[in-house]
Amino acid sequence: MSNQLTDVKWGLALVLLGLLFGIALGVYFGVNEDAVQAYIANGIAAHPALHDAHSQDKIWRLVQRAHFHATGIGAFSLSLLLLVAMCDLMPMLKKAASTLIGLSAFYPLAWFTEFYLAPSIGRGAAGEFWLTQIFVYVSVGGLLLGMAILLGNLFLRLGTPPRPTPLR
């Protein structure tokens, strides 16, 4: 099994880091939710013109989404990486597919960036912030490309090493 995981180790590392991020957020909420709520409230108080009556709850929901997406996408991506490890892609394509799928770990960082910035620049501006957008495009694009390679192999036999022709 370890030989099969060699080609997917970079994707696996990214996905496991994403899972750890999600777990760490959950633990932090459990230990110190008041600090997160205070961060949001202080930011809203410092920039009242950027916020409405729903801002506190909506910004809190952004950081929850970072947690939910980190664990959910992490589990989903982990299962895809196991498929990549077991399929018969050429090693170079396994590395590419697994790394691209591993980039999905950046999607929760888009939610976290939006949460982090929203108290000081507003929810709309935080969602359009360049770093938020980079995290979205890199993660979604990587996931889709990695899945395309995997699905192309599983259903169309693309990327399969050439088989030697039998001697007659």
Side-chain angles (χ1 to χ4, degrees):
M1 182 66 136
S2 64
N3 287 342
Q4 290 174 311
L5 294 180
T6 300
D7 292 330
V8 299
K9 67 181 175 185
W10 292 110
L12 192 57
L14 289 169
V15 168
L16 291 176
L17 285 172
L19 278 168
L20 285 174
F21 173 70
I23 292 167
L25 275 178
V27 168
Y28 189 70
F29 296 161
V31 171
N32 205 1
E33 181 181 330
D34 292 340
V36 177
Q37 295 287 359
Y39 170 77
I40 297 167
N42 292 339
I44 291 171
H47 307 282
L50 299 174
H51 299 284
D52 59 26
H54 305 290
S55 288
Q56 179 79 27
D57 291 336
K58 290 189 178 198
I59 295 172
W60 167 241
R61 188 72 179 144
L62 293 172
V63 74
Q64 287 177 322
R65 286 181 180 157
H67 163 67
F68 297 146
H69 281 88
T71 54
I73 290 172
F76 170 76
S77 296
L78 191 57
S79 65
L80 288 175
L81 290 179
L82 292 175
L83 283 175
V84 171
M86 293 185 299
C87 74
D88 59 353
L89 273 168
M90 291 184 283
M92 178 188 73
L93 286 174
K94 276 189 180 189
K95 289 175 185 175
S98 69
T99 303
L100 288 166
I101 290 169
L103 292 176
S104 66
F106 286 104
Y107 189 74
L109 294 178
W111 288 110
F112 188 81
T113 302
E114 195 171 347
F115 149 75
Y116 185 75
L117 296 172
S120 61
I121 66 174
R123 293 188 325 260
E128 297 299 321
F129 191 71
W130 64 270
L131 186 58
T132 306
Q133 294 297 308
I134 286 174
F135 284 145
V136 169
Y137 288 116
V138 166
S139 61
V140 173
L143 179 62
L144 292 175
L145 286 172
M147 284 181 66
I149 294 169
L150 175 61
L151 294 173
N153 177 257
L154 292 175
F155 296 107
L156 303 174
R157 310 283 302 144
L158 299 174
T160 304
R163 297 184 182 167
T165 55
L167 297 175
R168 293 182 181 184

